[in-house]
Amino acid sequence: MAPSPRRIAHLDMDAFYASVELLRYPELRGLPVVVGGRQVLAGTSHREGSREFPRLREYAGRGVVTTSTYEARALGVFSAMGLMKAAQLAPEAILLPADFEAYRHYSRLFKAAVATFAPRIEDRGIDEIYVDLSDVPGETRDLGRRIKQAVREATGLSCSIGITPNKLLSKIASDLEKPDGLTLLAVEDLPARIWPLPVRKINGIGPKATEKLGELGITAIGQLAHAPLGFLQAHFGGRTGTWLHEAAHGIDERPVVTHSEPKSVSRETTFERDLHPRHDREELSALFTSLCVRLAEDLRRNGYVGRTIGIKLRYADFRTVTRDLTLPEPSSDAAVIRRAAGECLRRLSLDQKLRLLGVRASGLSVPDPGSPADPPRQAELPFALPT
DNA sequence: TCTGGGGTCCTAGGACCC
DNA sequence: TCTGGGGTCCTAGGACCC
């Protein structure tokens, strides 16, 4: 007898950041609203009663759209789009700065609400989770309705849920009836509901793979399903070819992972304007040190030390390079991190303008209590870039 | 109108060791 | 003094995701 299929839910909050902002500013409901950018705009009046909100057209800078309301999406404004481009499409849209504290608060609320009756939860970021419902009693659609209701009662927000035998299909399903959707799918529904969709809908197929598949004449998931395994393996390699084939057939045995340890921690910043390593040396050096200090704080706050320290540079032409260095002993000390990052920096030619600088710690571990890997809190910092 | 910040996983070459 | 082979670590880059 075949084992009964799992019941895996994927829950995705609808336009999450923007929806949280609408809780705060209900008068913006129904308007195109965009969350993004880095700071509140200067000159924006905040009068009580008749509040003036900044418009997208007033924005100047390097920010991107983090979330847009469905009204803004109707104007062509989507996540990850540059705000300057978004302003061309929707100059009158309201632009609000991101308030991650608020989003984290609502994130905790909705996850806690789901956990009260479906505790096997995999965190997929601030606004998404997978939930293993296999052992939760109740009829599937009813469970879905109860989860949505619990989320709404806890947060005042709507979400979309897909429930299928695995994570891959549930992720696709949760998107099918957004917003406020509840979509149940069984393997028999694959040809009718999944195969007509573009391959890009498969989580893990991005712009590059979509492009390459397109060149091979494959645009729909059904076409991918009918491509011979050997053909896919020949073009994408053994592993990826097999994965593409299985994904198109709705096969995915990955478990819901309820706990995982972080692998790396990083801090990076894109400058307001491109900076030259020599001409803007002092400003860059201060930024670099500040990134190291914040990274060290992040490590300490979360109780980790890192053994590999790396840097990331993005040149003005958007070319990105990384360098890293593995230390003899792991550390969370800002001065140690700064020194290692400085060593990495010395391995790069610094004759072009930069737009981004980042620092990363990987090879994380939890330090032994009292070990020398956990040095005193404050240490002296070298404040100059290596020459 | 140029493209944020925080992550994960995979690949691949060279060093190094047995 | 012809070119073995496997395992692991380190490093760099890239695709992808939220």
Side-chain angles (χ1 to χ4, degrees), chain A residues 32 45 64 73 80 111 136 156 257 262 273 279 307 312 326 386:
Chain A
S45 59
V64 299
R73 295 180 197 190
K111 289 171 187 173
V136 179
V257 177
R273 59 178 182 91
H279 193 255
R307 199 160 88 88
K312 170 166 144 184
T326 298

Side-chain angles (χ1 to χ4, degrees), chain A residues 128-348:
Chain A
E128 273 186 35
I129 50 175
Y130 289 103
V131 192
D132 192 338
L133 300 174
S134 304
D135 297 330
V136 179
E139 191 264 323
T140 305
R141 183 170 295 277
D142 188 53
L143 270 180
R145 289 199 198 100
R146 282 168 56 202
I147 293 176
K148 284 166 63 74
Q149 185 58 27
V151 169
R152 188 180 293 280
E153 282 169 9
T155 63
L157 300 170
S158 71
C159 63
S160 296
I161 298 181
I163 309 178
T164 83
N166 63 52
K167 295 205 285 189
L168 177 100
L169 291 175
S170 296
K171 171 77 178 169
I172 297 173
S174 69
D175 192 51
L176 286 178
E177 295 169 36
K178 248 182 179 303
D180 204 14
L182 173 59
T183 307
L184 275 52
L185 246 47
V187 276
E188 308 89 84
D189 300 319
L190 209 67
R193 303 293 303 276
I194 302 295
W195 282 359
L197 302 174
V199 292
R200 187 73 176 79
K201 293 285 181 185
I202 292 175
N203 193 240
I205 297 185
K208 300 286 181 182
T210 300
E211 165 97 34
K212 187 167 169 182
L213 285 166
E215 287 166 4
L216 297 171
I218 296 171
T219 55
I221 297 176
Q223 291 174 298
L224 187 59
H226 289 109
L229 175 59
F231 173 83
L232 295 174
Q233 288 176 327
H235 284 96
F236 292 89
R239 281 177 66 100
T240 305
T242 303
W243 174 74
L244 287 169
H245 188 261
E246 290 184 348
H249 283 92
I251 298 167
D252 174 24
E253 298 297 330
R254 292 172 302 164
V256 170
V257 177
T258 56
H259 183 79
S260 67
E261 285 292 317
K263 303 275 191 292
S264 68
V265 180
S266 68
R267 285 279 183 165
E268 65 183 55
T269 185
T270 296
F271 316 135
E272 299 289 328
R273 59 178 182 91
D274 296 341
L275 297 176
H276 194 279
R278 283 191 301 276
H279 193 255
D280 303 301
R281 187 170 181 274
E282 289 195 17
E283 190 174 350
L284 270 171
S285 184
L287 276 165
F288 194 40
T289 300
S290 155
L291 289 169
C292 293
V293 169
R294 278 182 276 164
L295 181 64
E297 286 168 357
D298 293 343
L299 286 168
R300 283 173 185 276
R301 180 160 15 91
N302 297 298
Y304 291 101
V305 287
R307 199 160 88 88
T308 300
I309 303 301
I311 62 167
K312 170 166 144 184
L313 262 63
R314 180 120 71 204
Y315 296 105
D317 65 3
F318 221 71
R319 207 162 41 87
T320 306
V321 294
T322 62
R323 290 294 179 272
D324 60 51
L325 178 65
T326 298
L327 304 167
E329 296 292 337
S331 178
S332 61
D333 182 70
V336 172
I337 292 169
R338 178 61 175 79
R339 199 150 39 230
E343 285 298 313
C344 292
L345 200 54
R346 289 207 302 185
R347 309 212 299 259
L348 288 166

